[in-house]
Amino acid sequence: MQLVVARIGRAHGIKGEVTVEVRTDEPELRLAPGAVLATEPAGTGPLTIETGRVHSGRLLLRFEGVRDRTAAEALRNTLLIAEVDPTELPEDPEEFYDHQLMDLDVVLADGTEIGRITEITHLPSQDLFIVERPDGSEVMIPFVEEIVTEIDLDEQRAVIDPPPGLIDADQAVIASARDEAGDGAPAEGEDR
């Protein structure tokens, strides 16, 4: 199975190094010197990692045969793809690869079906499950332990305990100072 593990960013310096946007929880394994990675677009690869280092919080890589800034800049926006055994699991039992989570059924603790995971979006603050509901609509579920209470790979399901309004907007709790009087009029000192 092939997994995207990084995207090449801009060139760094004049000796062929590039910044990379890491898309794996195991960069020390997937992006180690000697790793041979397929690419998208395929015509730029395969690429073999020659060296790697962290500089100012960013991972810098140099590939075999890439010796100058011009060659490094030509790789910009290339996706790096690793071949991964589909039965391989992360070392931490609380971590999962995206391919393990795709197509899991999403249910409430009582078994009520919410939908199926169709996409996983990685944001700086958290990951999101994009869940397709039976009616074809989509809902975004933050992948945090307060909401996703269980991942059961054997049963192929993710159990969630969503706060009011996450799944159904009509159940949302409005936290507002408005309408405190209960008559729809603005509270004292409040404009509408």
Side-chain angles (χ1 to χ4, degrees):
M1 164 178 282
Q2 293 189 325
L3 296 176
V4 174
V5 294
R7 183 184 65 80
I8 298 175
R10 65 180 189 273
H12 179 84
I14 60 171
K15 296 184 179 180
E17 283 185 311
V18 295
T19 62
V20 292
E21 174 189 308
V22 176
R23 295 188 180 177
T24 177
D25 289 337
E26 301 171 318
E28 66 285 346
L29 174 67
R30 308 279 182 224
L31 301 171
V36 179
L37 302 167
T39 61
E40 179 61 43
T44 59
L47 294 172
T48 302
I49 298 174
E50 187 173 281
T51 64
R53 66 185 178 102
V54 176
H55 175 73
S56 298
R58 296 212 41 124
L59 180 60
L60 302 178
L61 296 179
R62 180 179 297 133
F63 300 100
E64 290 181 5
V66 178
R67 295 285 172 239
D68 61 33
R69 185 174 185 86
T70 303
E73 193 61 40
L75 297 174
R76 191 175 195 157
N77 292 322
T78 298
L79 297 177
L80 299 175
I81 303 167
E83 189 65 40
V84 178
D85 179 350
T87 62
E88 181 181 326
L89 299 175
E91 290 182 20
D92 183 345
E94 296 297 315
E95 290 183 5
F96 303 93
Y97 293 131
D98 285 3
H99 71 272
Q100 294 174 294
L101 301 171
M102 290 297 294
D103 293 325
L104 290 184
D105 291 324
V106 178
V107 299
L108 299 177
D110 66 5
T112 303
E113 179 184 355
I114 300 301
R116 182 174 298 253
I117 299 171
T118 57
E119 184 180 338
I120 300 165
T121 301
H122 301 281
L123 302 175
S125 60
Q126 67 192 14
D127 296 336
L128 288 176
F129 291 158
I130 308 301
V131 177
E132 184 176 327
R133 305 208 47 187
D135 65 5
S137 65
E138 289 185 338
V139 63
M140 292 183 280
I141 309 287
F143 187 23
V144 294
E145 66 181 304
E146 294 82 15
I147 297 172
V148 181
T149 59
E150 179 185 359
I151 298 290
D152 188 336
L153 296 178
D154 293 331
E155 294 292 323
Q156 287 290 288
R157 67 183 191 150
V159 178
I160 65 170
D161 182 16
L166 182 66
I167 303 299
D168 295 309
D170 62 341
Q171 295 177 355
V173 175
I174 307 299
S176 173
R178 292 185 184 204
D179 205 20
E180 287 180 7
D183 60 3
E188 188 174 325
E190 182 179 330
D191 289 332
R192 278 218 183 154

